Amino acid sequence: MAACGRAERRQRLLPARLVVYFVLGLALFSPAPYLEVMRHLVEGLRGLGLLGNWRVPAKSSLFRAPERLGSEPLRVLFATTAKPIATEATPGAFWRGLRLLAVDGTCWDVADSEANETAFGHPGSGRGSGRSAFGQVRMAALVEIGSHAVLDAELAGCRTGEVTLVGRLPRSAGPGQLVLADRAFLGVPLWQAFAATGADLLWRVPANRVLPVTKQFRDGSWLSHIRASSGPARDEPVVVRVLAYRLEGRTADGEIDDYRLVTILLDARRYPARQLAALYHERWEIESVFAEIKTHQRGARVVLSSKTPDGVHQQIWAHLLVHHALRELMLGHETGDLA
C-alpha cells in the first residue's frame, strides 16, 4: 500500500520537462492563475498524446514545481535558443549587408519581500515620492532590430549600472553586425569590447564630448578620436568617424535637437553620413521590444510575483523565451516559412 501511494504521488508530480512548459505557460498567459495556465497546457499536450495517464497534481504541487526547477534551466535554455532569426527579406533587418542590432537597458518591478529587497534593492534614495513602491531588477539586452528578437540579456539588482551589464553582452556580437547604442554607453572600454568582436558600431555621443577634427569628409563627417578618461587606455586613442546633424521638433518643447554619432565605419563613400544618421533612429526599436515584453506580454503595471530572487530570475527568463518564440513564429508567418 505504501509503495502504491508513493508511485501515485510520483505520477502526480510534474516531470521536469512539463515544469519548464508550465513556467513558460505562466509567462505566455500572464497574469492568469496557475490552475488556468495548467488547464491550457494539459489540453494542448493531451491532444498531442504526450501525457498518457498523467493527471494534474494538487494546486500546492503546482506552486512548488517552479521553485524546485529554479532559474538556471531557463537561463541555459534561453542562451541556447536565442539566436538571430531575421533574413535578408526581413524589413529593417539589414543595412548594406550588416545585420542591425541595438543595446539598451530596462527595469522590472518585483514583489515586495525581504529576500528581493536584499538581492535587488529599490531605485531612489529616499522614501515617499523619492522611493519606488517595489524593488527592481535591471536588465540589459542585445536585440535584433528587424525581428525584435532578444539575442542576449544580463540581469542584476537596480544598483548595478546599465553600462556594467551591457559590458557582458559583446559575447553575442560578431562580424557582419552593426550595433547601435545611445550616448549613455559611449566609453572606450565598452566600445573596444564590442569592436574586438568584429562588429561595427554606431553610437550617439554625449553633448560634452570633445571630438577634434583630424580629417574632414565631403559629406560633413570627420575623423576624430576618443580616449578613456583613466587607466592605461587613456594614452591609446581610438579612431572614429563623427557625424553631426540636427532634428527640428524632436524635443518636448519643439526646439532643435543636436545629434552627434561616432562609428567604426570610416569609409564616407561607402557609408554616407546622411544614411547613417537616418539609420541610427532605428535604435528606438528596442524600446518597442521592451514594451512588447513588459506591457503586452507580462501585462501593464503587473509586478513579477515571485518573492525569491531565483524565482524572479526564472520569471524573466521565461518571458524572454516566450517572446523569442513568438517573434520567430510571427516572422515565419511574414515570410511564409513555417516548416
Side-chain angles (χ1 to χ4, degrees):
M1 292 291 293
C4 291
R6 287 194 296 272
E8 183 176 353
R9 285 195 296 273
R10 284 196 298 269
Q11 182 186 25
R12 293 178 65 83
L13 288 175
L14 275 72
R17 181 176 295 182
L18 185 55
V19 178
V20 173
Y21 294 156
F22 178 53
V23 172
L24 295 177
L26 291 172
L28 178 61
F29 298 109
S30 174
Y34 274 34
L35 288 177
E36 181 70 10
V37 171
M38 179 54 71
R39 183 181 68 80
H40 285 299
L41 182 62
V42 168
E43 287 178 354
L45 294 177
R46 198 178 299 282
L48 295 173
L50 299 178
L51 288 183
N53 61 352
W54 180 87
R55 291 173 292 166
V56 176
K59 186 176 181 179
S60 58
S61 296
L62 290 181
F63 279 108
R64 291 194 296 268
E67 183 178 348
R68 290 197 303 269
L69 179 68
S71 65
E72 185 62 11
L74 277 296
R75 186 197 67 78
V76 172
L77 183 59
F78 176 77
T80 304
T81 59
K83 307 298 182 185
I85 59 177
T87 68
E88 292 282 356
T90 306
F94 288 84
W95 180 76
R96 293 182 176 264
L98 298 174
R99 186 183 299 271
L100 302 181
L101 310 181
V103 293
D104 207 348
T106 188
C107 288
W108 300 72
D109 289 338
V110 301
D112 188 15
S113 71
E114 184 175 347
N116 285 346
E117 165 69 20
T118 300
F120 305 128
H122 276 75
S125 57
R127 293 193 175 273
S129 60
R131 180 182 172 89
S132 171
F134 301 100
Q136 288 187 342
V137 174
R138 191 181 305 281
M139 180 181 80
L142 179 69
V143 167
E144 184 179 47
I145 290 175
S147 67
H148 282 201
V150 179
L151 306 183
D152 199 355
E154 273 288 333
L155 307 176
C158 64
R159 301 185 187 95
T160 302
E162 286 183 345
V163 173
T164 299
L165 292 183
V166 170
R168 303 169 190 171
L169 300 181
R171 65 194 175 202
S172 297
Q177 300 173 345
L178 178 58
V179 181
L180 313 181
D182 199 12
R183 54 191 167 191
F185 301 105
L186 184 63
V188 169
L190 188 56
W191 178 276
Q192 289 179 320
F194 273 98
T197 69
D200 292 303
L201 311 179
L202 179 64
W203 294 8
R204 193 176 177 185
V205 185
N208 61 353
R209 196 70 177 248
V210 177
L211 296 168
V213 178
T214 58
K215 180 181 179 180
Q216 188 81 45
F217 294 110
R218 294 181 62 181
D219 65 356
S221 64
W222 68 91
L223 287 185
S224 187
H225 60 265
I226 55 176
R227 296 177 182 271
S229 58
S230 61
R234 184 175 183 178
D235 298 324
E236 299 176 3
V238 175
V239 176
V240 295
R241 179 170 158 230
V242 186
L243 298 73
Y245 59 99
R246 285 186 165 189
L247 294 180
E248 296 185 9
R250 299 291 295 184
T251 62
D253 54 10
E255 293 183 356
I256 294 174
D257 199 3
D258 291 320
Y259 277 78
R260 289 188 305 164
L261 311 177
V262 290
T263 181
I264 290 177
L265 302 172
L266 305 183
D267 189 337
R269 290 180 178 272
R270 186 176 181 184
Y271 307 107
R274 184 179 294 272
Q275 292 185 25
L276 287 171
L279 181 68
Y280 172 75
H281 294 276
E282 293 298 315
R283 189 201 74 80
W284 292 102
E285 287 296 313
I286 197 171
E287 301 295 341
S288 297
V289 174
F290 293 154
E292 290 166 2
I293 300 171
K294 295 170 55 182
T295 301
H296 304 294
Q297 181 177 299
R298 177 198 59 179
R301 295 183 294 278
V302 172
V303 176
L304 296 178
S305 60
S306 178
K307 295 186 179 298
T308 68
D310 191 57
V312 167
H313 286 159
Q314 182 189 78
Q315 289 180 306
I316 295 175
W317 292 123
H319 275 293
L320 294 178
L321 278 161
V322 167
H323 180 264
H324 196 281
L326 290 174
R327 296 309 306 187
E328 190 166 6
L329 180 63
M330 292 169 67
L331 188 64
H333 274 294
E334 292 171 359
T335 61
D337 182 13
L338 293 176

